[in-house]
Amino acid sequence: MNRQPLVSIFSRRTISAALITVLFGLPAIALAAGAPERSGKEVFEAVCVTCHGPGKDGAPRMGNAAEWSPRAAQGLNSITRNAITGVGKMPGHGGQGALTDLEISRAVSYMVSGGAATDPNKAYSSPQQITGEELVKTHCQNCHASGMDGAPRIGNLTDWAPRLNKGLDVLVQSSIRGHKAMPARSGMNNLSDADMKAAVSYMANQATANSLK
């Protein structure tokens, strides 16, 4: 499998929603942080059908058991991990960073089962590929060090307190779905929900730790 190396993930510039549409022919989607998780059928019809309908670039076609069988043999965890991080010509999260790992899991379940499976309530996979500290120092600090575009500054409790009052899960969802000037997953669709949570947790801990000094 031709998985993209992490170094390329963190060094490239943010890809805009418009560019994603041009490069992959995918309809860019935007969801609010509090938006409910979509069903596998909804995700398939909004995103996956573009490639998994006609079998574009070798994608296994929806409803074709022969094409899905060898992949299903690897297990739903493996298929979902590939869908989240990207594999072959398919970008991470199908090029749609605003989709959560649970929504990707549901889409995988829907396609593998030919539309017969019930949506899972927990993601099959959410691989942590990098530590929160590493992600913050290689990428997040580009905005969060100076407070660019209103981003809460690293280590500044005044900036983080109003956000922390909403709860960590809400902050993580905002980082996944995108918020104001920050695109979904900060423009890095290969990152998992676990990666995003690690980065947000690291910055939140830095803010509270500095307040105790």
Side-chain angles (χ1 to χ4, degrees):
M1 295 181 183
N2 300 320
R3 196 184 300 280
Q4 294 183 6
L6 283 178
V7 65
S8 69
I9 297 173
F10 303 121
S11 62
R12 70 167 174 256
R13 297 188 181 206
T14 296
I15 299 178
S16 70
L19 184 55
I20 287 173
T21 302
V22 171
L23 290 177
F24 303 109
L26 299 172
I29 61 174
L31 297 172
E37 305 278 1
R38 299 198 294 178
S39 69
K41 183 175 186 293
E42 289 174 323
V43 175
F44 171 78
E45 292 179 346
V47 180
C48 311
V49 68
T50 302
C51 295
H52 289 280
K56 182 179 180 182
D57 294 326
R61 291 169 291 175
M62 174 66 182
N64 191 310
E67 292 180 0
W68 279 104
S69 181
R71 295 168 172 84
Q74 300 173 21
L76 292 175
N77 182 292
S78 177
I79 299 174
T80 303
R81 179 187 177 93
N82 286 340
I84 289 171
T85 61
V87 63
K89 292 186 178 181
M90 187 184 80
H93 288 89
Q96 303 292 345
L99 292 175
T100 67
D101 291 353
L102 175 56
E103 288 172 323
I104 290 293
S105 297
R106 288 177 173 178
V108 166
S109 177
Y110 180 78
M111 289 187 287
V112 171
S113 69
T118 301
D119 285 330
N121 292 317
K122 183 178 179 181
Y124 293 131
S125 178
S126 186
Q128 186 169 339
Q129 309 162 87
I130 187 171
T131 68
E133 181 177 6
E134 289 173 323
L135 181 51
V136 169
K137 290 183 177 180
T138 57
H139 185 77
C140 307
Q141 69 174 5
N142 293 339
C143 294
H144 287 277
S146 63
M148 182 185 297
D149 294 325
R153 290 166 292 175
I154 298 171
N156 190 307
L157 185 59
T158 300
D159 288 358
W160 282 93
R163 296 167 172 85
L164 290 173
N165 285 338
K166 298 177 182 178
L168 184 65
D169 288 344
V170 173
L171 290 181
V172 173
Q173 280 298 305
S174 291
S175 72
I176 291 170
R177 300 290 201 189
H179 183 69
K180 294 184 177 179
M182 187 183 80
R185 296 181 195 276
S186 195
M188 297 182 291
N189 296 332
N190 304 65
L191 295 177
S192 69
D193 290 3
D195 291 325
M196 300 306 297
K197 183 173 183 177
V200 172
S201 297
Y202 176 80
M203 289 189 286
N205 287 336
Q206 289 296 300
T208 55
N210 281 352
S211 71
L212 299 176
K213 292 180 180 180

